[in-house]
Amino acid sequence: MINLLGRIAVLRSTPAAPEPCVIDVGGRDVRVMFKRNARCKRMIIRVAKDGSGLVMTLPKRTSQIEALRFANTSKSWILKNLSERMPIQRFENGAVVPFRGTLHTIMCPGGKRGLVQHDLSANLIIVPGDTAHIHRRLTDFLKKQAKQELIAASQIYASAMGVQFTALTVRDQNSRWGSCSAQRALSYSWRLILAPTFVLDYVAAHEVAHIAEMNHGPRFWRLVLSHCKNAKAARHWLRHEGRDLHRYGVRAS
Ligand SMILES: [Zn+2]
């Protein structure tokens, strides 16, 4: 009885686990969830069962700052263990990466720096210039392409739905494909350019629809489905294939 009471007292005085956060590991956004275990003597870090990020178990008094400092010193371990579940494909000569849903080979002929080119017929993405800069140059190219496509798609849906957005940004976000703020600012993951066009299109329709309906209620879905005929297929695609897009273009650490 005394033991049990003692244990309850220990549990009661254990502070709540910190809120989840996202950290940068080798240019990749990695979601970190925290758990608190009063009996745990040191921090434990592991890959989440679904491979979606990390789970850190913290002793009673460890703060989030200490936990993140620890994660920071474990970056190579994290990258290795995350990539065992999801083999990373870096941007390098000969690598095969999806672009608008079709696999393309990255070709780096070397030589003078020039524009990155997309050869549709041969499924090639040609990145001229110094091979040391392939990662940055190709990422810049893909972000630019993503932004162009997402602006075009968002504008089409905005005028069809009779709404307007105030800003549009493209970035690398691990946890979601897009978001819409109360100020009507749209934000998307650049990795959508790797997915088939109907998927990028659906994410744009989804976020633009949030300008009219800031929820996922029946009216929201009616609006999305009435303007985007591939919504169901795209949601299915994202659920099953979406995570795979995070394998690509992870910066060498
Ligand atoms: Zn939504």
Side-chain angles (χ1 to χ4, degrees), residues 157 196-203 205 221 224-238:
Y157 286 115
T197 309
F198 76 92
V199 175
L200 177 145
D201 224 57
Y202 156 70
V203 176
W221 285 114
V224 173
L225 292 170
S226 66
H227 288 91
C228 178
K229 61 178 183 350
N230 291 318
K232 278 190 180 144
R235 291 187 76 202
H236 184 266
W237 193 97
L238 283 170

Side-chain angles (χ1 to χ4, degrees), residues 62-190:
T62 306
S63 69
Q64 189 179 32
I65 292 172
E66 286 170 282
L68 293 179
R69 206 175 288 145
F70 176 64
N72 210 31
T73 59
S74 317
K75 280 190 170 172
S76 50
W77 181 93
I78 294 170
L79 266 187
K80 183 177 165 286
N81 283 274
L82 274 178
S83 54
E84 267 166 13
R85 288 173 185 270
M86 230 176 28
I88 284 169
Q89 178 58 71
R90 297 198 194 283
F91 289 160
E92 56 199 12
N93 191 23
V96 176
V97 301
F99 177 64
R100 295 190 175 118
T102 307
L103 291 176
H104 283 67
T105 303
I106 301 173
M107 199 175 104
C108 308
K112 267 201 228 148
R113 200 198 140 130
L115 287 178
V116 174
Q117 277 171 40
H118 172 218
D119 184 337
L120 245 182
S121 56
N123 287 344
L124 285 176
I125 298 178
I126 302 155
V127 190
D130 190 341
T131 50
H133 304 303
I134 294 170
H135 176 85
R136 184 180 49 76
R137 301 205 55 217
L138 186 52
T139 310
D140 287 350
F141 169 81
L142 292 170
K143 283 183 182 167
K144 210 169 140 187
Q145 296 286 319
K147 193 162 184 176
Q148 273 175 16
E149 301 267 324
L150 284 159
I151 287 175
S154 303
Q155 276 169 348
I156 289 171
Y157 286 115
S159 70
M161 295 178 191
V163 295
Q164 279 185 322
F165 53 91
T166 52
L168 188 153
T169 49
V170 163
R171 51 183 127 171
D172 200 356
Q173 35 193 15
N174 207 25
S175 44
R176 34 194 196 171
W177 299 109
S179 61
C180 173
S181 76
Q183 288 72 37
R184 294 181 281 133
L186 304 173
S187 174
Y188 297 103
S189 165
W190 69 265

Side-chain angles (χ1 to χ4, degrees), residues 33-47:
M33 301 262 295
F34 298 97
K35 282 184 176 177
R36 188 76 75 183
N37 184 338
R39 276 171 301 240
C40 189
K41 294 276 177 263
R42 54 185 184 85
M43 287 182 255
I44 299 166
I45 192 162
R46 63 174 175 82
V47 175

